[in-house]
PDB file of all heavy atoms in Angstrom:
ATOM      1  N   ALA U 108     -15.562  14.928 -74.189  1.00 89.00           N
ATOM      2  CA  ALA U 108     -15.704  15.653 -72.965  1.00 89.00           C
ATOM      3  C   ALA U 108     -14.497  15.217 -72.042  1.00 89.00           C
ATOM      4  O   ALA U 108     -14.083  14.131 -71.991  1.00 89.00           O
ATOM      5  CB  ALA U 108     -17.100  15.145 -72.364  1.00 89.00           C
ATOM      6  N   GLY U 109     -14.043  16.272 -71.381  1.00 91.00           N
ATOM      7  CA  GLY U 109     -12.859  15.934 -70.522  1.00 91.00           C
ATOM      8  C   GLY U 109     -11.534  16.086 -71.097  1.00 91.00           C
ATOM      9  O   GLY U 109     -10.534  16.046 -70.438  1.00 91.00           O
ATOM     10  N   ASP U 110     -11.446  16.196 -72.492  1.00 92.00           N
ATOM     11  CA  ASP U 110     -10.205  16.311 -73.173  1.00 92.00           C
ATOM     12  C   ASP U 110      -9.703  17.787 -73.020  1.00 92.00           C
ATOM     13  O   ASP U 110     -10.366  18.604 -73.500  1.00 92.00           O
ATOM     14  CB  ASP U 110     -10.315  15.910 -74.599  1.00 92.00           C
ATOM     15  CG  ASP U 110      -9.027  15.865 -75.411  1.00 92.00           C
ATOM     16  OD1 ASP U 110      -8.049  16.437 -74.903  1.00 92.00           O
ATOM     17  OD2 ASP U 110      -9.010  15.213 -76.399  1.00 92.00           O
ATOM     18  N   ASP U 111      -8.546  17.939 -72.308  1.00 93.00           N
ATOM     19  CA  ASP U 111      -7.951  19.294 -72.135  1.00 93.00           C
ATOM     20  C   ASP U 111      -7.427  19.849 -73.434  1.00 93.00           C
ATOM     21  O   ASP U 111      -7.166  21.003 -73.456  1.00 93.00           O
ATOM     22  CB  ASP U 111      -7.110  19.198 -71.004  1.00 93.00           C
ATOM     23  CG  ASP U 111      -7.747  18.980 -69.678  1.00 93.00           C
ATOM     24  OD1 ASP U 111      -8.915  19.303 -69.483  1.00 93.00           O
ATOM     25  OD2 ASP U 111      -6.999  18.453 -68.705  1.00 93.00           O
ATOM     26  N   ASP U 112      -7.079  19.057 -74.381  1.00 93.00           N
ATOM     27  CA  ASP U 112      -6.350  19.444 -75.558  1.00 93.00           C
ATOM     28  C   ASP U 112      -7.485  19.712 -76.637  1.00 93.00           C
ATOM     29  O   ASP U 112      -7.946  18.769 -77.221  1.00 93.00           O
ATOM     30  CB  ASP U 112      -5.443  18.485 -76.083  1.00 93.00           C
ATOM     31  CG  ASP U 112      -4.639  18.794 -77.269  1.00 93.00           C
ATOM     32  OD1 ASP U 112      -4.543  20.006 -77.582  1.00 93.00           O
ATOM     33  OD2 ASP U 112      -4.070  17.889 -77.922  1.00 93.00           O
ATOM     34  N   LYS U 113      -7.959  20.945 -76.737  1.00 95.00           N
ATOM     35  CA  LYS U 113      -9.184  21.261 -77.418  1.00 95.00           C
ATOM     36  C   LYS U 113      -8.871  21.520 -79.013  1.00 95.00           C
ATOM     37  O   LYS U 113      -9.372  22.367 -79.588  1.00 95.00           O
ATOM     38  CB  LYS U 113      -9.820  22.495 -76.870  1.00 95.00           C
ATOM     39  CG  LYS U 113     -10.190  22.412 -75.433  1.00 95.00           C
ATOM     40  CD  LYS U 113     -11.305  21.373 -75.236  1.00 95.00           C
ATOM     41  CE  LYS U 113     -11.829  21.266 -73.798  1.00 95.00           C
ATOM     42  NZ  LYS U 113     -12.721  20.291 -73.640  1.00 95.00           N
ATOM     43  N   LYS U 114      -8.091  20.591 -79.467  1.00 96.00           N
ATOM     44  CA  LYS U 114      -7.769  20.637 -81.028  1.00 96.00           C
ATOM     45  C   LYS U 114      -7.457  19.226 -81.450  1.00 96.00           C
ATOM     46  O   LYS U 114      -7.076  18.377 -80.686  1.00 96.00           O
ATOM     47  CB  LYS U 114      -6.668  21.561 -81.277  1.00 96.00           C
ATOM     48  CG  LYS U 114      -5.329  21.114 -80.716  1.00 96.00           C
ATOM     49  CD  LYS U 114      -4.269  22.115 -80.976  1.00 96.00           C
ATOM     50  CE  LYS U 114      -2.906  21.757 -80.508  1.00 96.00           C
ATOM     51  NZ  LYS U 114      -2.682  20.768 -79.516  1.00 96.00           N
ATOM     52  N   ALA U 115      -7.537  19.018 -82.761  1.00 97.00           N
ATOM     53  CA  ALA U 115      -7.067  17.879 -83.448  1.00 97.00           C
ATOM     54  C   ALA U 115      -5.995  18.221 -84.436  1.00 97.00           C
ATOM     55  O   ALA U 115      -6.107  19.259 -85.002  1.00 97.00           O
ATOM     56  CB  ALA U 115      -8.118  17.089 -84.159  1.00 97.00           C
ATOM     57  N   THR U 116      -4.848  17.435 -84.559  1.00 97.00           N
ATOM     58  CA  THR U 116      -3.839  17.812 -85.510  1.00 97.00           C
ATOM     59  C   THR U 116      -3.813  16.727 -86.546  1.00 97.00           C
ATOM     60  O   THR U 116      -3.511  15.452 -86.164  1.00 97.00           O
ATOM     61  CB  THR U 116      -2.495  17.936 -84.694  1.00 97.00           C
ATOM     62  OG1 THR U 116      -2.548  18.923 -83.692  1.00 97.00           O
ATOM     63  CG2 THR U 116      -1.283  18.242 -85.703  1.00 97.00           C
ATOM     64  N   TYR U 117      -3.937  17.119 -87.780  1.00 98.00           N
ATOM     65  CA  TYR U 117      -3.820  16.205 -88.896  1.00 98.00           C
ATOM     66  C   TYR U 117      -2.444  16.328 -89.468  1.00 98.00           C
ATOM     67  O   TYR U 117      -2.020  17.449 -89.666  1.00 98.00           O
ATOM     68  CB  TYR U 117      -4.866  16.475 -89.996  1.00 98.00           C
ATOM     69  CG  TYR U 117      -6.294  16.026 -89.595  1.00 98.00           C
ATOM     70  CD1 TYR U 117      -7.046  16.960 -88.780  1.00 98.00           C
ATOM     71  CD2 TYR U 117      -6.772  14.790 -89.920  1.00 98.00           C
ATOM     72  CE1 TYR U 117      -8.314  16.505 -88.434  1.00 98.00           C
ATOM     73  CE2 TYR U 117      -8.044  14.380 -89.419  1.00 98.00           C
ATOM     74  CZ  TYR U 117      -8.817  15.279 -88.684  1.00 98.00           C
ATOM     75  OH  TYR U 117     -10.120  14.771 -88.346  1.00 98.00           O
ATOM     76  N   THR U 118      -1.834  15.186 -89.788  1.00 98.00           N
ATOM     77  CA  THR U 118      -0.480  15.300 -90.396  1.00 98.00           C
ATOM     78  C   THR U 118      -0.690  14.520 -91.738  1.00 98.00           C
ATOM     79  O   THR U 118      -1.221  13.416 -91.837  1.00 98.00           O
ATOM     80  CB  THR U 118       0.546  14.352 -89.645  1.00 98.00           C
ATOM     81  OG1 THR U 118       0.573  15.012 -88.217  1.00 98.00           O
ATOM     82  CG2 THR U 118       1.901  14.490 -90.243  1.00 98.00           C
ATOM     83  N   LEU U 119      -0.216  15.261 -92.863  1.00 97.00           N
ATOM     84  CA  LEU U 119      -0.261  14.813 -94.218  1.00 97.00           C
ATOM     85  C   LEU U 119       1.065  14.609 -94.707  1.00 97.00           C
ATOM     86  O   LEU U 119       1.992  15.489 -94.508  1.00 97.00           O
ATOM     87  CB  LEU U 119      -0.957  15.930 -95.152  1.00 97.00           C
ATOM     88  CG  LEU U 119      -2.515  16.108 -94.925  1.00 97.00           C
ATOM     89  CD1 LEU U 119      -2.742  16.969 -93.701  1.00 97.00           C
ATOM     90  CD2 LEU U 119      -2.926  16.755 -96.188  1.00 97.00           C
ATOM     91  N   GLU U 120       1.228  13.489 -95.328  1.00 97.00           N
ATOM     92  CA  GLU U 120       2.548  13.226 -95.964  1.00 97.00           C
ATOM     93  C   GLU U 120       2.254  12.854 -97.433  1.00 97.00           C
ATOM     94  O   GLU U 120       1.453  12.047 -97.874  1.00 97.00           O
ATOM     95  CB  GLU U 120       3.179  11.907 -95.305  1.00 97.00           C
ATOM     96  CG  GLU U 120       3.465  12.067 -93.839  1.00 97.00           C
ATOM     97  CD  GLU U 120       3.935  10.795 -93.186  1.00 97.00           C
ATOM     98  OE1 GLU U 120       4.580   9.977 -93.917  1.00 97.00           O
ATOM     99  OE2 GLU U 120       3.603  10.599 -92.012  1.00 97.00           O
ATOM    100  N   PHE U 121       2.952  13.653 -98.281  1.00 96.00           N
ATOM    101  CA  PHE U 121       2.956  13.511 -99.731  1.00 96.00           C
ATOM    102  C   PHE U 121       4.242  12.795-100.202  1.00 96.00           C
ATOM    103  O   PHE U 121       5.303  13.389 -99.821  1.00 96.00           O
ATOM    104  CB  PHE U 121       2.773  14.887-100.425  1.00 96.00           C
ATOM    105  CG  PHE U 121       1.501  15.693 -99.968  1.00 96.00           C
ATOM    106  CD1 PHE U 121       1.584  16.673 -99.012  1.00 96.00           C
ATOM    107  CD2 PHE U 121       0.279  15.389-100.481  1.00 96.00           C
ATOM    108  CE1 PHE U 121       0.468  17.350 -98.669  1.00 96.00           C
ATOM    109  CE2 PHE U 121      -0.869  16.034-100.090  1.00 96.00           C
ATOM    110  CZ  PHE U 121      -0.789  17.039 -99.159  1.00 96.00           C
ATOM    111  N   SER U 122       4.301  11.758-100.929  1.00 96.00           N
ATOM    112  CA  SER U 122       5.500  11.230-101.353  1.00 96.00           C
ATOM    113  C   SER U 122       5.248  10.683-102.851  1.00 96.00           C
ATOM    114  O   SER U 122       4.160  10.413-103.255  1.00 96.00           O
ATOM    115  CB  SER U 122       5.855  10.026-100.468  1.00 96.00           C
ATOM    116  OG  SER U 122       4.780   8.979-100.469  1.00 96.00           O
ATOM    117  N   GLY U 123       6.355  10.797-103.610  1.00 95.00           N
ATOM    118  CA  GLY U 123       6.380  10.433-105.051  1.00 95.00           C
ATOM    119  C   GLY U 123       6.913   9.062-105.206  1.00 95.00           C
ATOM    120  O   GLY U 123       7.681   8.547-104.402  1.00 95.00           O
ATOM    121  N   SER U 124       6.423   8.428-106.170  1.00 94.00           N
ATOM    122  CA  SER U 124       6.846   7.000-106.482  1.00 94.00           C
ATOM    123  C   SER U 124       8.293   6.964-106.858  1.00 94.00           C
ATOM    124  O   SER U 124       8.926   5.894-106.728  1.00 94.00           O
ATOM    125  CB  SER U 124       5.944   6.403-107.615  1.00 94.00           C
ATOM    126  OG  SER U 124       6.181   7.155-108.766  1.00 94.00           O
ATOM    127  N   ALA U 125       8.899   8.009-107.271  1.00 87.00           N
ATOM    128  CA  ALA U 125      10.223   8.051-107.719  1.00 87.00           C
ATOM    129  C   ALA U 125      11.118   8.843-106.649  1.00 87.00           C
ATOM    130  O   ALA U 125      12.301   9.140-106.938  1.00 87.00           O
ATOM    131  CB  ALA U 125      10.487   8.716-109.066  1.00 87.00           C
TER     132      ALA U 125
END
Side-chain angles (χ1 to χ4, degrees):
D110 186 342
D111 292 333
D112 185 18
K113 300 295 185 187
K114 68 181 180 342
T116 302
Y117 287 85
T118 303
L119 290 78
E120 297 176 33
F121 302 100
S122 58
S124 58

